[in-house]
Amino acid sequence: MKNDIKLFEQKKIRSVYDEEKDIWYFSVIDVIAILIEKDYKTAQNYWNKLAERLRKEGSQSVTNCHKLKMPAADGKQYFTAAATAETMLRIVQSVPSPKAEPIKQWLARVGYERMKETADPSLSIDRARENWQKLGHSEKWIQQRMMGQETRNKLTDYWKEHEITKDEEYAILTNIIHQEWSGLSVKEHKQLKGLKSQNLRDHMSEAELIFTALAELSTRQVAENTNATGMKENKQAAKIGGNISKRAKEDFEERTGQKVVTDENYLPENKKQKRLHTNKSK
């Protein structure tokens, strides 16, 4: 998940990008505050009452909202109601406001940009490539990253077709695979590299990308061979797939004398310096 700020008429709308699903989520409260032209607290109270009314009416809009961590005014991360552009459009329709139509057009434009990328995947690929280049990645690394993402997509497609539907289930299975091959949880690996909201894979070395891809490829192959369905069976496939990559990693490290999992990252120099200073202070 990646936090971002989007602007509507110079007003901030907090957003979160789910990189695994390639979906943007927007802060419901921020949009409500713009619609009713009030402060955050008033908008929160308004949303609580609106959500209660929508539930009684049987609307799916509230059900489709997620609780995601977003930065607050004090700089800390708190869980807040978030919705996709599609769900947000339905919520906006329930709020009488002169700002409703401009917000709907803004959300539709965000959705249209995503639709263009769906119709022409090269646009999304070009955007990702440009971002990776800005981080300082080589063309060789970018090619490996794209190949790894394709392997990842095939695995998540399999999960989706075999009764894995919840976000937390995807996260659990991903963590099992990662723990098995690397010896670290995803969270621990990010901490090792000094990352917070950044995407771990965007800061992996070429070797880390290769062994991650091997683990996920192996997991899918094992799952397909056993027709793994549901969490219990896919957990078993995840452990086996991760272990296949672990054995390959250990053989690689023994023969080359090089560690695969490292603390290297592609953070900007100012963040690297801050991290180095923090580590020295401990």
Side-chain angles (χ1 to χ4, degrees):
M1 295 284 190
K2 177 182 178 182
N3 285 289
D4 194 12
I5 297 292
K6 293 192 177 297
L7 295 177
F8 169 80
E9 296 182 352
Q10 302 308 309
K11 292 183 174 65
K12 295 180 179 180
I13 297 178
R14 289 169 298 165
S15 58
V16 173
Y17 179 56
D18 186 329
E19 292 164 320
E20 299 294 345
K21 295 185 176 180
D22 197 16
I23 295 175
W24 280 102
Y25 293 91
F26 304 94
S27 165
V28 174
I29 308 304
D30 290 357
V31 173
I32 294 290
I34 291 172
L35 290 171
I36 66 175
E37 301 183 86
K38 298 290 184 180
D39 59 27
Y40 183 89
K41 185 175 181 180
T42 305
Q44 179 69 66
N45 292 333
Y46 187 101
W47 168 241
N48 291 340
K49 293 178 181 177
L50 176 60
E52 184 178 353
R53 175 169 67 81
L54 290 173
R55 286 193 193 95
K56 289 179 179 179
E57 294 174 356
S59 172
Q60 289 294 310
S61 298
V62 180
T63 305
N64 290 339
C65 285
H66 296 252
K67 285 288 187 178
L68 300 178
K69 278 190 175 182
M70 294 187 181
D74 61 4
K76 296 181 180 179
Q77 299 269 342
Y78 298 97
F79 283 104
T80 188
T84 63
E86 182 181 4
T87 300
M88 193 69 78
L89 280 168
R90 296 196 182 100
I91 293 172
V92 170
Q93 291 173 348
S94 304
V95 182
S97 167
K99 294 284 187 181
E101 193 57 35
I103 279 281
K104 284 160 66 176
Q105 291 176 1
W106 181 82
L107 287 167
R109 186 166 63 251
V110 172
Y112 174 66
E113 290 171 356
R114 178 67 188 95
M115 284 170 57
K116 286 197 300 182
E117 291 183 355
T118 302
D120 184 0
S122 65
L123 295 175
S124 179
I125 292 171
D126 289 344
R127 175 166 55 84
R129 183 184 290 276
E130 183 180 346
N131 289 337
W132 290 327
Q133 288 173 338
K134 287 179 180 177
L135 285 172
H137 292 300
S138 67
E139 283 300 317
K140 183 179 179 182
W141 183 97
I142 291 172
Q143 188 64 26
Q144 186 60 53
R145 177 70 171 88
M146 292 171 69
M147 290 173 63
Q149 189 60 48
E150 180 64 21
T151 300
R152 169 71 181 178
N153 291 344
K154 289 179 180 178
L155 175 59
T156 55
D157 285 346
Y158 177 89
W159 285 342
K160 185 177 180 181
E161 294 167 2
H162 290 79
E163 300 182 8
I164 304 300
T165 57
K166 298 178 181 178
D167 291 346
E168 56 265 31
E169 292 176 335
Y170 282 83
I172 290 169
L173 291 173
T174 299
N175 206 55
I176 289 172
I177 296 169
H178 201 87
Q179 181 86 49
E180 283 294 321
W181 86 257
S182 70
L184 297 173
S185 67
V186 172
K187 183 178 180 180
E188 289 169 341
H189 200 165
K190 290 184 72 171
Q191 289 174 338
L192 176 66
K193 290 181 176 292
L195 307 177
K196 293 182 179 179
S197 62
Q198 297 89 349
N199 185 335
L200 174 60
R201 296 180 195 229
D202 286 349
H203 292 269
M204 284 184 175
S205 66
E206 185 181 354
E208 287 171 315
L209 286 174
I210 288 171
F211 285 100
T212 297
L214 175 60
E216 294 185 332
L217 173 64
S218 301
T219 297
R220 179 170 60 84
Q221 295 286 358
V222 170
E224 288 177 346
N225 288 340
T226 60
N227 193 31
T229 303
M231 277 296 285
K232 183 178 180 180
E233 293 180 3
N234 275 292
K235 278 183 178 180
Q236 293 174 343
K239 288 183 178 180
I240 295 170
N243 193 259
I244 290 172
S245 184
K246 174 187 176 181
R247 295 200 301 271
K249 174 181 75 74
E250 290 174 346
D251 188 43
F252 173 87
E253 290 178 335
E254 182 180 348
R255 292 176 181 275
T256 65
Q258 299 176 18
K259 286 291 184 182
V260 172
V261 177
T262 75
D263 62 356
E264 294 177 5
N265 59 55
Y266 290 84
L267 291 171
E269 286 302 319
N270 60 330
K271 290 189 176 182
K272 287 186 178 181
Q273 291 297 328
K274 183 177 179 181
R275 178 188 171 214
L276 181 62
H277 176 73
T278 301
N279 290 339
K280 286 183 176 180
S281 300
K282 291 180 179 180

